[in-house]
């Protein structure tokens, strides 16, 4: 996992290589993958693998009284023709342009367990929230399978619009379901894929396709490798520079 260095010990590297091969084989042999881990960084490799192998991926994450269930953007398998979709719509995002769990991040995943209490690690949650999120994740997969485009289905997010009709036989097919148990309320946001995503961007997928395990090893051992590769480091530097110029202008505004 990113943020959890493997080091250079030959036995440790061989063990990790075997684990990666097992995970690759499992994902290749299945049609859909559920990510139900308790750390952010543990979701990175399965996210990368499902994107590279064009598999349906459904992610569920919990807070103390909140949860998030989402389907990752789906890439057309290499042996199938591209399905034409409307990429200009602001109301629906095509399935091949939906973001993954890491598309909203501007930093690479790191060790999220170090120097954190149990509640900060999202280990403590309300008693029913895991079952709620799991049930919604299951229903989300069922809805995907009942849509004519399956993983390529566009996002539905207008839950309160009675005129909005979904092509799914079971009703709406959202990109994300975010639940707030303190208010017993769900919202259905949707977001596009980020071209600098550390898990599903083109540069990451092509690097993994070319280098395989060596690419993964660099990602595990070097904290800044993914940020440098995707351009996040440069983006952060440009943002900081813009802030500095803004402050400088503000000093002389009077």
């Amino acid at each position: 996992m990113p943020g959890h260095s493997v080091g250079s010990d030959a036995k440790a590297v061989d063990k990790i290589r075997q684990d990666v091969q097992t995970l690759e084989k499992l994902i290749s042999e299945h049609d859909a993958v559920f990510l139900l881990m308790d750390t952010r960084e543990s979701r990175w490799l399965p996210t990368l693998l499902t994107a590279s192998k064009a598999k349906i991926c459904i992610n569920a994450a919990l807070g103390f009284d909140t949860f998030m269930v989402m389907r990752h953007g789906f890439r057309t398998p290499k042996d199938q023709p591209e399905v034409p979709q409307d990429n200009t719509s602001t109301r629906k995002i095509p399935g091949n342009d939906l973001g993954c769990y890491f598309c909203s991040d501007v930093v690479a995943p790191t060790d999220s367990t170090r120097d954190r209490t149990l509640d900060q690690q999202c280990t403590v949650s309300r008693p029913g929230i895991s079952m709620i999120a799991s049930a919604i994740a299951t229903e989300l997969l069922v809805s995907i399978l009942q849509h004519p485009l399956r993983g390529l289905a566009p996002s539905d997010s207008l839950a309160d619009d009675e005129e909005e009709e979904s092509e799914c036989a079971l009703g709406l097919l959202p990109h994300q379901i975010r639940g707030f148990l303190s208010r017993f309320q769900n919202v259905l946001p949707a977001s596009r894929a980020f071209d600098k995503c550390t898990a599903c961007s083109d540069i990451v997928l092509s690097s993994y396709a070319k280098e395989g395990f060596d690419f993964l090893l660099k990602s595990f051992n070097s904290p800044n490798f993914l940020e440098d590769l995707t351009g996040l480091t440069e983006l952060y530097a440009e943002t900081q520079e813009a802030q500095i110029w803004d402050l400088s202008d503000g000093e002389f505004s009077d």
Side-chain angles (χ1 to χ4, degrees), residues 76 80-88 94-96 147 149 152-154 167:
T76 305
Q80 296 182 14
E82 287 283 345
V83 177
Q85 299 203 48
D86 181 9
N87 287 282
T88 61
N96 57 3
H147 194 286
L149 295 179
L152 289 169
E167 295 181 56

Side-chain angles (χ1 to χ4, degrees), residues 59 73 106 114 118 140-141 143 167 186 206 221 229 236 241:
N59 201 338
V106 292
R114 182 179 300 172
L118 285 175
L140 185 59
L141 175 60
S143 292
E167 295 181 56
N186 293 339
S206 61
N221 287 333
L229 175 69
Y236 179 77
E241 184 178 353

Side-chain angles (χ1 to χ4, degrees), residues 4-236:
H4 298 258
S5 177
V6 177
S8 57
D9 181 71
K11 290 185 178 180
V13 171
D14 287 342
K15 178 64 168 62
I16 296 298
R17 188 191 305 273
Q18 292 173 13
D19 291 343
V20 169
Q21 290 174 348
T22 299
L23 186 59
E24 288 175 330
K25 184 174 183 293
L26 285 169
I27 290 177
S28 296
E29 293 174 347
H30 291 77
D31 298 320
V33 176
F34 288 89
L35 305 186
L36 310 173
M37 298 82 156
D38 60 354
T39 64
R40 194 172 192 83
E41 63 272 22
S42 64
R43 304 166 193 263
W44 177 81
L45 181 54
T47 297
L48 167 60
L49 294 179
T50 52
S52 68
K53 299 179 185 297
K55 301 292 184 178
I56 295 172
C57 183
I58 296 179
N59 201 338
L62 308 180
F64 170 70
D65 58 0
T66 60
F67 67 86
M68 186 275 295
V69 176
M70 71 181 299
R71 57 183 173 112
H72 288 182
F74 186 82
R75 295 175 179 266
T76 305
K78 296 180 180 178
D79 59 346
Q80 296 182 14
E82 287 283 345
V83 177
Q85 299 203 48
D86 181 9
N87 287 282
T88 61
S89 173
T90 57
R91 302 181 70 181
K92 288 192 175 186
I93 302 174
N96 57 3
D97 197 30
L98 290 173
C100 78
Y101 184 68
F102 296 94
C103 280
S104 59
D105 290 350
V106 292
V107 294
T110 59
D111 186 351
S112 61
T113 62
R114 182 179 300 172
D115 299 326
R116 292 191 177 189
T117 60
L118 285 175
D119 60 312
Q120 289 176 322
Q121 296 177 34
C122 296
T123 305
V124 179
S125 62
R126 287 180 56 163
I129 200 166
S130 62
M131 283 72 80
I132 294 172
S134 299
I136 291 178
T138 303
E139 290 296 335
L140 185 59
L141 175 60
V142 172
S143 292
I144 291 172
L145 297 180
Q146 293 300 314
H147 194 286
L149 295 179
R150 297 210 168 188
L152 289 169
S155 62
D156 293 326
S157 58
L158 304 178
D160 57 347
D161 190 344
E162 295 181 357
E163 298 181 358
E164 186 73 14
E165 293 185 2
S166 174
E167 295 181 56
C168 177
L170 299 179
L172 289 176
L173 180 50
H175 176 214
Q176 304 176 37
I177 304 97
R178 293 180 179 262
F180 304 88
L181 232 57
S182 60
R183 301 195 298 271
F184 289 94
Q185 179 183 14
N186 293 339
V187 296
L188 307 177
S191 59
R192 292 185 182 271
F194 183 31
D195 63 353
K196 293 179 175 56
C197 176
T198 58
C200 74
S201 61
D202 289 339
I203 184 65
V204 170
L205 295 180
S206 61
S207 297
Y208 167 69
K210 292 176 183 177
E211 302 178 37
F213 182 73
D214 290 337
F215 165 76
L216 299 180
L217 208 56
K218 294 175 187 176
S219 304
F220 300 155
N221 287 333
S222 176
N224 300 320
F225 173 72
L226 290 172
E227 294 179 3
D228 294 341
L229 175 69
T230 56
L232 285 176
T233 301
E234 183 179 355
L235 177 65
Y236 179 77

